[in-house]
Structure formats: structure tokens, C-alpha cells
Amino acid sequence: MSADAIEFDVAPTQTVQAQQRLRGLIVSGALLPGERILEVPLAERLGVSRTPVRAALLRLEQEGLLEAVGAGGGYRVRQFSAQDLRDAIELRGTLEGLAARLAAERGVDGALIAQAYRHLDAIDAALDTPALGEPDFAAYVQHNGGFHALLGRMSGSDLLQRELVRASRLPFASPSGFLGVQVGEPAGQAVLRVAQDQHRQVLDAIEQREGSRAEALMREHARIARRRLETALRQPGGLRPLRDVVVAFNAFGEVPHESQ
């Protein structure tokens, strides 16, 4: 399965809503580390159908916030520390910076550049509203993910693409993690506008074959997520599951099972 199919498939509005609300339950501590999550009770709790809940559970597993419990056993909240989150975001920024530099140095096929601009134009359209609504945010999630997936392809390195997918599975390291971005809030929309401006600057640097500039811009782009994390950690009750939890990841970015 391709990186696009695993991480960056199209996200309908209901699925994005369920994903954001479920992520919020984990961040706030309403769902505690190790707690089991079953599809039907969660759908009832969120007041939505099972289909978007199923997709949201899968995506949060891919983001590293949940882990599957056996065959048909639902999911449970993964355990992680604040430093794990910082390191995961830093790792993704480093890898994406490398991808941008390689893309600039090696050159990129015009079809990929055109595809990237289509994603960015769609993001501009989503953000061109007085208040970011649920459909607009869903469009942002879809096309932001598409742009980040293309960045890996632009690098021309299959190995780097695979590592980017694995890094994006670490907690809150996914390009679609959006920690602290609330739909309808001007501050959240402002964050997304800054990120979009950085997208265009990175793509321009790649087209101009400016490798160092492209890498630096992409590293700075990842720091937006780091700043959102630090803000959430300072808020009362923010990221409550991190208070007492420190669990090491193994070499594949996974929480070791009991048998390991």
C-alpha cells in the first residue's frame, strides 16, 4: 500500500469531525492511556454513525495515538510522554526538510509540481472564508495531507518516503495532527494561513533549485506543530495523559507489547 493510501486519503467532513473530537478526548484525558475504545460505544458517545468513527479510529492508530487490540478487539489509547511528542515532531521536520532539499537538488517532474500547486490552490480556497467551517477544515486536511505526501515523492527516494510514513505514525507527528486548532476560531485559522504560506515558499524554493532554503523552510514548518504542542502543555488540563506516563518506543516507533 502506498504512503498516500495509508496516510493521506480523502477525509470526508464527518470523519474529520470524529477524528478531531476523538483526538480531543485523548488530549484532555477524558480517555486515559491504556483505556479500551470500542467502535459502537464511541459512536454513541460522539453522536455519529459507525462509519466515520471507524475511519477516525484507523487514522488515529496511524497517527500513533491508538493501538489495535487483537483481532476485533477495538483499540486502546497509547501511552507517551511530552518528550516523545517533541521528538516525534522534530523527527518529521528533519525528514521533511531532507525531502525538500533532495527535491530541490535533484529536480522535480513538472507533473508533480503542478499537482502540488493544485493542492495549494485548494487550500487557499478552503481558507478564503471569514470563519473556517467543518467542510473547509475537511478540505484543508485532505489537501494538506496530499501536499505532504507529494513532498516525499518529490525527493525521488523510496527509502525516505517509507521513513516519512513511519515518522508520521508517531504521536502528533502526522501532518494532519492539528493539535490545538479549533474549527471556527480565528486563532486556529491564522495558524493554518501561516502554514499555507510556508507551503508556497517551500515549493518555490524547490522550483528554484535552492536546496538549503527548501530544507530550512520545511524544518521551520514543522516547528508550528511544536509550538502548538507547547501551548497545549501550558494550558490547564492540556494533554493530561502526559502527567505520569513515560513509555519507550521501540526502533519502529511502536509501543512494545507485553510479550516484547
Side-chain angles (χ1 to χ4, degrees), residues 216-247:
L217 285 166
M218 209 63 217
R219 293 286 296 271
E220 180 61 29
H221 183 65
R223 292 191 178 101
I224 291 180
R226 172 66 181 265
R227 288 193 290 272
R228 291 201 307 266
L229 168 63
E230 300 300 338
T231 298
L233 289 171
R234 289 193 298 269
Q235 292 174 347
L239 293 178
R240 285 175 51 201
L242 303 183
R243 288 180 302 181
D244 306 311
V245 177
V246 180
V247 174

Coordinates of all heavy atoms in Angstrom, one line a residue, residues 216-247:
A216 N 15.5 24.5 5.1 CA 15.3 25.3 6.3 C 13.8 25.7 6.4 O 13.2 25.7 7.6 CB 16.1 26.6 6.2
L217 N 13.1 26.0 5.3 CA 11.7 26.3 5.4 C 10.9 25.2 5.9 O 9.9 25.3 6.7 CB 11.2 26.8 4.0 CG 11.7 28.1 3.5 CD1 11.4 28.3 2.0 CD2 10.9 29.2 4.3
M218 N 11.2 24.0 5.4 CA 10.4 22.8 5.9 C 10.7 22.5 7.3 O 9.7 22.1 8.0 CB 10.8 21.6 5.0 CG 9.6 20.6 4.8 SD 8.2 21.4 4.0 CE 6.9 20.6 4.9
R219 N 11.9 22.7 7.8 CA 12.1 22.5 9.2 C 11.4 23.5 10.1 O 10.8 23.2 11.1 CB 13.6 22.6 9.5 CG 14.5 21.5 8.9 CD 14.4 20.2 9.6 NE 14.9 20.3 11.0 CZ 16.1 20.1 11.4 NH1 17.1 19.8 10.5 NH2 16.5 20.2 12.6
E220 N 11.3 24.7 9.6 CA 10.5 25.7 10.3 C 9.0 25.4 10.3 O 8.3 25.7 11.2 CB 10.8 27.1 9.7 CG 10.0 28.3 10.3 CD 10.4 28.4 11.8 OE1 11.6 28.1 12.2 OE2 9.5 28.9 12.6
H221 N 8.6 24.9 9.2 CA 7.2 24.5 9.0 C 6.8 23.5 10.1 O 5.7 23.6 10.7 CB 7.0 23.9 7.6 CG 5.5 23.5 7.3 ND1 4.5 24.5 7.2 CD2 5.0 22.3 7.1 CE1 3.4 23.9 6.9 NE2 3.6 22.6 6.9
A222 N 7.6 22.5 10.4 CA 7.3 21.6 11.4 C 7.3 22.2 12.8 O 6.6 21.7 13.7 CB 8.4 20.4 11.4
R223 N 8.0 23.3 13.0 CA 8.0 24.0 14.3 C 6.7 24.6 14.7 O 6.4 24.9 15.8 CB 9.1 25.0 14.4 CG 10.5 24.4 14.3 CD 11.6 25.4 14.6 NE 12.9 24.7 14.6 CZ 13.8 24.8 13.6 NH1 13.5 25.5 12.6 NH2 14.9 24.1 13.7
I224 N 5.8 24.8 13.7 CA 4.4 25.2 14.0 C 3.8 24.2 14.9 O 3.1 24.5 15.9 CB 3.6 25.5 12.7 CG1 4.1 26.7 12.0 CG2 2.1 25.6 13.0 CD1 3.4 27.0 10.7
A225 N 3.9 22.9 14.5 CA 3.3 21.9 15.3 C 4.0 21.8 16.7 O 3.3 21.6 17.7 CB 3.5 20.5 14.6
R226 N 5.3 22.1 16.8 CA 6.0 22.1 18.1 C 5.4 23.2 19.0 O 5.2 23.0 20.2 CB 7.5 22.2 17.9 CG 8.3 22.4 19.1 CD 8.3 21.2 20.0 NE 9.1 21.5 21.2 CZ 10.4 21.2 21.4 NH1 11.0 20.6 20.4 NH2 11.0 21.4 22.5
R227 N 5.2 24.4 18.4 CA 4.7 25.5 19.2 C 3.2 25.2 19.6 O 2.9 25.6 20.7 CB 4.7 26.8 18.3 CG 6.1 27.3 18.1 CD 6.2 28.7 17.6 NE 5.7 28.8 16.2 CZ 6.5 28.7 15.2 NH1 7.8 28.5 15.4 NH2 6.0 28.8 14.0
R228 N 2.4 24.6 18.8 CA 1.1 24.2 19.2 C 1.1 23.2 20.4 O 0.3 23.3 21.3 CB 0.3 23.6 18.1 CG -0.1 24.6 17.0 CD -1.2 24.1 16.1 NE -1.0 22.8 15.6 CZ -0.6 22.5 14.4 NH1 -0.2 23.5 13.6 NH2 -0.5 21.2 14.0
L229 N 2.1 22.3 20.3 CA 2.2 21.3 21.4 C 2.6 22.1 22.7 O 2.0 21.8 23.8 CB 3.3 20.3 21.1 CG 3.8 19.4 22.2 CD1 2.7 18.5 22.7 CD2 5.0 18.6 21.8
E230 N 3.6 23.0 22.7 CA 4.0 23.7 23.9 C 2.8 24.5 24.4 O 2.7 24.6 25.7 CB 5.2 24.6 23.6 CG 6.4 23.8 23.1 CD 6.9 22.8 24.1 OE1 6.6 22.9 25.3 OE2 7.6 21.8 23.6
T231 N 2.0 25.1 23.6 CA 0.9 25.9 24.0 C -0.1 25.0 24.7 O -0.6 25.3 25.8 CB 0.2 26.6 22.8 OG1 1.1 27.5 22.2 CG2 -1.0 27.3 23.3
A232 N -0.4 23.8 24.2 CA -1.3 22.9 24.8 C -0.8 22.4 26.1 O -1.6 22.2 27.1 CB -1.5 21.7 23.9
L233 N 0.5 22.2 26.3 CA 1.1 21.7 27.5 C 0.9 22.8 28.6 O 0.8 22.4 29.8 CB 2.5 21.4 27.3 CG 2.8 20.1 26.5 CD1 4.3 20.0 26.2 CD2 2.4 18.8 27.3
R234 N 0.9 24.0 28.2 CA 0.8 25.1 29.2 C -0.6 25.4 29.7 O -0.8 26.0 30.7 CB 1.4 26.4 28.7 CG 2.9 26.4 28.5 CD 3.5 27.8 28.3 NE 2.9 28.4 27.0 CZ 3.6 28.3 25.8 NH1 4.7 27.6 25.8 NH2 3.0 28.8 24.8
Q235 N -1.6 24.9 28.9 CA -3.0 25.2 29.2 C -3.4 24.3 30.4 O -3.0 23.1 30.5 CB -3.9 25.0 28.0 CG -3.6 26.0 26.9 CD -4.4 25.6 25.7 OE1 -4.9 24.5 25.5 NE2 -4.5 26.6 24.7
P236 N -4.3 24.8 31.3 CA -4.8 24.0 32.4 C -5.6 22.8 31.8 O -6.4 22.9 31.0 CB -5.8 24.9 33.1 CG -5.3 26.3 32.7 CD -4.8 26.2 31.3
G237 N -5.1 21.6 32.3 CA -5.7 20.4 31.8 C -5.3 19.9 30.4 O -5.7 18.9 30.0
G238 N -4.4 20.7 29.8 CA -3.9 20.3 28.5 C -3.1 19.1 28.5 O -2.1 19.0 29.3
L239 N -3.3 18.2 27.6 CA -2.5 17.0 27.5 C -2.4 16.3 28.8 O -1.3 15.9 29.2 CB -1.2 17.3 26.8 CG -1.2 17.7 25.4 CD1 0.2 18.0 24.9 CD2 -1.8 16.7 24.5
R240 N -3.5 16.1 29.5 CA -3.4 15.5 30.8 C -2.8 14.1 30.9 O -2.2 13.7 31.8 CB -4.9 15.4 31.4 CG -5.4 16.8 31.9 CD -6.8 16.6 32.3 NE -7.0 15.5 33.2 CZ -8.2 14.9 33.5 NH1 -9.3 15.3 32.8 NH2 -8.3 14.0 34.3
P241 N -3.0 13.3 29.8 CA -2.4 11.9 29.9 C -0.9 11.9 30.0 O -0.3 10.9 30.3 CB -2.8 11.3 28.5 CG -4.0 12.1 28.1 CD -3.8 13.5 28.6
L242 N -0.2 13.1 29.8 CA 1.2 13.1 29.8 C 1.8 13.3 31.3 O 3.0 13.2 31.5 CB 1.8 14.2 29.0 CG 1.3 14.2 27.5 CD1 2.0 15.3 26.7 CD2 1.7 12.9 26.9
R243 N 0.9 13.5 32.2 CA 1.4 13.9 33.6 C 2.3 12.8 34.2 O 3.3 13.1 34.8 CB 0.2 14.1 34.5 CG -0.5 15.5 34.2 CD -1.6 15.7 35.1 NE -2.6 14.6 35.0 CZ -3.7 14.5 35.8 NH1 -4.0 15.5 36.6 NH2 -4.6 13.5 35.6
D244 N 1.9 11.5 34.0 CA 2.6 10.5 34.8 C 3.1 9.4 33.8 O 3.5 8.3 34.3 CB 1.6 9.8 35.8 CG 1.0 10.9 36.7 OD1 1.8 11.7 37.2 OD2 -0.2 10.9 36.9
V245 N 3.0 9.6 32.5 CA 3.3 8.5 31.6 C 4.6 8.7 30.9 O 4.8 9.7 30.2 CB 2.1 8.4 30.6 CG1 2.4 7.3 29.6 CG2 0.8 8.1 31.3
V246 N 5.4 7.7 30.9 CA 6.6 7.7 30.1 C 6.9 6.3 29.7 O 7.2 5.4 30.4 CB 7.9 8.2 30.9 CG1 9.1 8.1 29.9 CG2 7.7 9.6 31.4
V247 N 6.6 6.0 28.4 CA 6.7 4.6 27.8 C 7.6 4.7 26.6 O 7.4 5.5 25.7 CB 5.4 4.0 27.4 CG1 5.5 2.7 26.7 CG2 4.5 3.9 28.6

